[in-house]
Amino acid sequence: MKRFILSAQLVLITVCGIAQQKLLTMQDVIGNARTTLAPQNLTQIQFLYGTENYVYAKRAGNEPVWMKGGFKEEEKPFLSLAELNVRLKAAGLDSAKNMPLIQFNQGADWIIGLNGAKVALNPVSNKAIILVEAALAGKAGLEESKAGYVAYLDNFNLFVAKNGDQKQVTTDGSADIVYASSVHREEFGITKGTFWSNSGKLLAFYRMDQSMVTDYPVIDWTTKPAKNVNIKYPMAGDKSHEVTVRVYNAETGAVVYLKTGEPAEQYLTNIAWSPDDKYVYIAILNRGQNHMKLNQYDAVSGAFIKTLFEEKDEKYVEPLVPMLFLKNDPGKFIWQSNRDGWNHLYLYDRNGKVLKQLTKGSWEVLEVKGFDARGERLFYTSTAGSPISRNLYALNVKSGKSVQLTQGLAVHVTQVSASGNTVIDNFSSPEQPRVVQVIETGSLKTKVLLKAANPLAGYATENSSIFTFKSKSGDDLYASLYKPVGFDAAKKYPVIVYWYGGSHAQLVLNSWNAGAGDYWFRYMAEHGYVVLTIDTRGSDNRGKAFEQSMFRRVGDVQMEDMMAAVDYLKSQPYVDAANMGLFGWSFGGFNTVDFMVNHPGVFKAAVAGGPVINWAFYEVMYTERYMDTPQENPEGFAATYLSNKAAQLKGKLLLIHGQQDPVVVQQNSVDFVKKAVDAGVQVDYMIYPGHEHNVTGKDRVHLYQKVTDYFMQNLK
């Protein structure tokens, strides 16, 4: 009896403790996670060009002000709105009503967004140059050059302007002939369609002919009657678009075509200029994506000069980053490749001879930040410390030795001063929401500028535990697990597993994951759920073999790894294995449906958002990299055509789709519903009119409430 009374008292204390803390709301989870519940930050922190000082924006009372400080310099006000307006008036410009966005780190001039225009203001002379006129604000493809030229798109055609003088570069632009825009469905690291030379006088730009690509219908439901809006959507195995590259001379008006040759269906990626602007380099990838050539072209004549080197792979090659010429030796450049199994840096001469491998190990180089002032050190971010951390390193290009500049098992987001002597380090971990500090790269001494408080300190939530378990293949799989608030080891709890499992994504990181996903996980833990997130094989930043394991049969290794996760969960005494739910979006949506129809009965309920159901319905570039074409791999496409397995479904399944989705077209989920109806299998379906592949804005609250309700109704 005494033991019973003591236990009851402990339970009462626990319940009262939770009651005294706030519970997250759905608005907290979706909206406030990025605003009032986001960790404190230093707004727009950046280096002041030519110095080791940093600046950032804040409010002093009701007044906006830029602060300035340094490693050995105390912070003090640097620029108020009133002081800025004095400078603007001296330059003959209109005043700013509010503190505008300012870039202090681009050069001696301050780059200011002012009343729709983009202005370069010299802080010494108070003279200004209009970089982009207000009349051009909002134009597509807007990009200015160092020589004062501005490229932009108007009515499908490319224009270049300077000092109000506008010149039309192309005349045949249309919905079918696309100029100066990202191509190849933004694969291969492509995010734009214009590339100014170093001098800013020459412009390389894409031309994409997609007239031969099949029209795909997307319905606009906002009109009466509804109307069809066709998009160009090249599906796997079908005709793809044809891309070429042109070069425009802004001083002479001349345009030349780079002779990239045949076949027309190839991928032109990673465009770069030589330091002297005489040549353009393009990584050309065949449609099969297993053979890449780094080609050199004459920028004046467009003639092909030579192939510097080639890369081949029995599965696929995926060039993502253009060549980077050395700052102090234009005859050499750095190339990124995962040819040894991990993404690393290689030093080449201008003729394409590899001089040495600069980085090496069972880890990935993730981002190159640039050189120091002398060009002797190259700064890069990598996973050398751990696959779930991000740290900054300085590489001595000559010796090949690297020095780690940031420390700890955390995710560091960094800026490096022009000299390379100072780093602004913004990092987080599950225990520390945010720390902003500056680092002296020579001494590695640090100065903390901000240590953010836990924005969830008043809420009934605890951090997740990050751990690994083994896949059947022997790989370490990273997972993050939230236990229910008020966890009682003697109880059994329902489970929700969230995953993605596709390339170019990693869910589990040793950071403060202040996004909708993480806060929703905490929300579900408050409501009594165990929440597990995993990165299966196929995920990013674990090396080539880890990602390529899904080649030609996407989903198979992911399902195998999910079964390993299920085995782990079932081994935990607090898990109610009869009440488990599975959730994924996009590739994760495919994996979710794939698992539900191939392993029926393991999960009681599942939610699949924007899922690929038939890879023959998905786009050429992505699908054919991992699956080859339907003609080349009929068995793989048949095995992953999930609608044909709809009859095997057990348990509850909710499919969600944005009705205007141009990425994973709605035909995927509709096809599954039709086959489920034919088989007499019940599925649930939710559409979001007006939304594309992701449900954003205020409707995202509705989405997550829908998902939450579904699990709460079905996992009891």
Side-chain angles (χ1 to χ4, degrees):
M1 178 62 69
K2 288 181 179 179
R3 284 199 299 270
F4 173 78
I5 294 172
L6 181 60
S7 298
Q9 290 173 336
L10 290 173
V11 170
L12 182 61
I13 291 170
T14 301
V15 171
C16 290
I18 294 172
Q20 290 172 359
Q21 292 182 298
K22 293 183 287 185
L23 296 178
L24 291 164
T25 67
M26 196 59 69
Q27 179 59 41
D28 290 331
V29 166
I30 305 304
N32 299 345
R34 299 184 184 278
T35 55
T36 56
L37 289 182
Q40 183 186 359
N41 200 359
L42 298 183
T43 305
Q44 300 179 62
I45 187 168
Q46 59 190 283
F47 281 106
L48 183 62
Y49 184 80
T51 75
E52 305 304 310
N53 296 120
Y54 60 85
V55 293
Y56 67 92
K58 65 176 291 187
R59 298 196 72 84
N62 293 323
E63 295 296 322
V65 63
W66 284 89
M67 303 294 292
K68 184 181 80 167
F71 192 86
K72 298 179 180 178
E73 181 179 324
E74 294 298 319
E75 284 186 9
K76 59 184 178 181
F78 172 63
L79 181 69
S80 68
L81 179 59
E83 291 168 339
L84 175 63
N85 280 329
V86 170
R87 293 179 179 275
L88 294 175
K89 182 178 180 181
L93 298 172
D94 293 335
S95 297
K97 295 181 180 179
N98 300 298
M99 183 66 80
L101 296 176
I102 306 177
Q103 291 177 289
F104 295 97
N105 57 5
Q106 299 300 299
D109 292 343
W110 300 346
I111 310 302
I112 306 172
L114 186 65
N115 302 323
K118 192 173 184 179
V119 176
L121 175 67
N122 188 290
V124 177
S125 66
N126 283 338
K127 292 182 179 180
I129 299 173
I130 306 297
L131 300 176
V132 180
E133 296 180 9
L136 299 181
K139 294 288 186 183
L142 196 67
E143 186 173 3
E144 69 269 18
S145 81
K146 292 181 180 179
Y149 293 100
V150 180
Y152 63 94
L153 286 169
D154 192 4
N155 195 27
F156 299 109
N157 281 301
L158 174 64
F159 288 76
V160 172
K162 184 177 183 179
N163 299 328
D165 181 22
Q166 302 176 12
K167 293 182 179 179
Q168 186 168 349
V169 179
T170 67
T171 58
D172 61 336
S174 66
D176 286 339
I177 306 298
V178 180
Y179 282 108
S181 303
S182 57
V183 298
H184 304 320
R185 304 283 297 179
E186 296 196 334
E187 295 294 327
F188 319 109
I190 298 170
T191 59
K192 62 175 187 171
T194 52
F195 308 87
W196 283 107
S197 68
N198 300 286
S199 68
K201 298 176 181 178
L202 300 174
L203 177 69
F205 62 94
Y206 281 126
R207 179 187 190 269
M208 178 170 66
D209 182 354
Q210 56 181 2
S211 60
M212 69 291 294
V213 177
T214 304
D215 287 335
Y216 192 89
V218 175
I219 306 302
D220 178 0
W221 299 93
T222 62
T223 63
K224 181 184 178 181
K227 64 181 180 181
N228 176 56
V229 179
N230 283 326
I231 63 172
K232 294 292 186 178
Y233 194 91
M235 289 186 173
D238 293 347
K239 183 67 178 175
S240 186
H241 55 235
E242 299 174 2
V243 172
T244 54
V245 175
R246 299 181 179 185
V247 174
Y248 171 69
N249 188 315
E251 294 197 324
T252 67
V255 177
V256 299
Y257 298 72
L258 300 187
K259 296 177 176 59
T260 50
E262 298 292 335
E265 290 189 3
Q266 58 185 357
Y267 302 121
L268 310 185
T269 73
N270 300 272
I271 293 175
W273 283 91
S274 63
D276 58 10
D277 288 359
K278 291 182 179 180
Y279 305 106
V280 177
Y281 298 88
I282 305 177
I284 296 188
L285 191 65
N286 65 329
R287 177 161 172 173
Q289 301 188 46
N290 58 5
H291 187 188
M292 185 276 294
K293 297 180 180 180
L294 183 60
N295 286 350
Q296 179 183 12
Y297 300 90
D298 187 284
V300 175
S301 67
F304 167 73
I305 303 297
K306 63 176 178 288
T307 296
L308 274 66
F309 63 86
E310 303 178 40
E311 285 195 21
K312 297 180 181 180
D313 190 279
E314 62 180 7
K315 294 179 179 177
Y316 54 86
V317 180
E318 190 181 4
L320 292 168
V321 183
M323 62 202 302
L324 175 65
F325 283 91
L326 298 193
K327 192 172 185 177
N328 57 6
D329 187 349
K332 297 175 183 175
F333 65 89
I334 291 171
W335 182 255
Q336 296 191 37
S337 172
N338 66 357
R339 67 185 63 159
D340 76 343
W342 305 85
N343 191 59
H344 282 297
L345 307 179
Y346 294 80
L347 182 65
Y348 280 84
D349 68 18
R350 71 174 72 193
N351 295 313
K353 178 184 177 182
V354 62
L355 301 176
K356 60 180 173 180
Q357 184 173 346
L358 294 170
T359 60
K360 190 175 181 64
S362 300
W363 46 271
E364 301 265 284
V365 171
L366 301 179
E367 181 186 8
V368 171
K369 311 292 290 189
F371 294 100
D372 64 11
R374 294 183 175 183
E376 296 173 349
R377 292 179 297 165
L378 182 70
F379 299 90
Y380 66 91
T381 302
S382 85
T383 62
S386 165
I388 61 172
S389 69
R390 303 286 184 269
N391 276 292
L392 180 70
Y393 298 79
L395 166 72
N396 185 300
V397 178
K398 186 176 181 179
S399 69
K401 294 182 179 180
S402 291
V403 175
Q404 184 173 340
L405 301 179
T406 59
Q407 308 298 323
L409 187 63
V411 172
H412 295 261
V413 178
T414 57
Q415 302 176 52
V416 184
S417 67
S419 69
N421 295 329
T422 312
V423 170
I424 297 172
D425 179 23
N426 190 325
F427 73 90
S428 72
S429 68
E431 296 75 30
Q432 180 55 60
R434 188 189 310 277
V435 173
V436 182
Q437 62 182 4
V438 287
I439 305 171
E440 283 188 332
T441 60
S443 66
L444 297 185
K445 293 180 179 179
T446 62
K447 176 182 177 180
V448 175
L449 309 180
L450 169 71
K451 189 172 184 179
N454 182 354
L456 299 177
Y459 289 81
T461 182
E462 296 178 358
N463 293 335
S464 68
S465 59
I466 296 177
F467 61 97
T468 62
F469 59 92
K470 292 289 185 182
S471 69
K472 187 176 180 180
S473 62
D475 291 292
D476 284 327
L477 301 178
Y478 281 87
S480 171
L481 186 138
Y482 280 101
K483 289 183 178 179
V485 172
F487 176 74
D488 181 352
K491 291 182 60 177
K492 286 188 177 291
Y493 297 94
V495 177
I496 296 170
V497 181
Y498 183 77
W499 65 335
Y500 182 80
S503 61
H504 301 299
Q506 184 180 5
L507 301 181
V508 181
L509 290 168
N510 208 63
S511 65
W512 180 267
N513 298 312
D518 178 74
Y519 278 32
W520 183 74
F521 302 154
R522 293 172 181 268
Y523 177 91
M524 297 306 289
E526 285 182 343
H527 288 79
Y529 292 84
V530 172
V531 184
L532 180 73
T533 306
I534 64 170
D535 281 321
T536 64
R537 280 172 290 168
S539 302
D540 207 8
N541 303 320
R542 295 293 306 279
K544 183 166 68 170
F546 194 86
E547 179 187 287
Q548 289 190 342
S549 61
M550 65 177 176
F551 185 63
R552 290 174 66 91
R553 283 294 292 268
V554 295
D556 281 12
V557 297
Q558 287 91 341
M559 287 190 291
E560 187 174 276
D561 291 351
M562 179 56 74
M563 281 305 303
V566 168
D567 290 342
Y568 168 81
L569 288 168
K570 288 182 175 180
S571 71
Q572 305 304 306
Y574 56 84
V575 165
D576 181 358
N579 280 284
M580 298 197 300
L582 188 60
F583 180 22
W585 199 276
S586 194
F587 200 113
F590 160 77
N591 279 331
T592 295
V593 180
D594 197 23
F595 193 94
M596 291 294 288
V597 297
N598 282 290
H599 297 276
V602 174
F603 288 96
K604 188 177 181 181
V607 177
V612 177
I613 295 296
N614 182 354
W615 285 97
F617 291 165
Y618 199 57
E619 62 188 38
V620 166
M621 299 81 195
Y622 188 95
T623 303
E624 293 180 6
R625 181 184 312 132
Y626 305 111
M627 289 284 286
D628 287 334
T629 67
Q631 297 85 353
E632 295 166 328
N633 183 20
E635 297 84 2
F637 277 84
T640 54
Y641 181 20
L642 305 183
S643 295
N644 285 341
K645 301 179 182 182
Q648 299 172 196
L649 177 69
K650 293 182 181 178
K652 303 291 289 184
L653 174 62
L654 170 63
L655 300 173
I656 304 176
H657 224 121
Q659 209 165 21
Q660 276 63 51
D661 192 339
V663 179
V664 179
V665 293
Q666 196 182 357
Q667 184 174 1
N668 282 274
S669 55
V670 169
D671 187 74
F672 188 89
V673 170
K674 177 64 171 71
K675 291 296 177 64
V677 172
D678 292 345
V681 172
Q682 293 291 330
V683 295
D684 296 303
Y685 196 71
M686 179 68 188
I687 59 170
Y688 280 90
H691 288 278
E692 296 191 349
H693 191 50
N694 292 303
V695 179
T696 58
K698 63 180 181 62
D699 292 352
R700 195 166 180 82
V701 175
H702 188 282
L703 164 69
Y704 269 86
Q705 190 63 60
K706 183 73 176 179
V707 174
T708 300
D709 291 346
Y710 198 76
F711 284 128
M712 288 185 173
Q713 290 162 6
N714 292 294
L715 302 180
K716 299 179 180 178

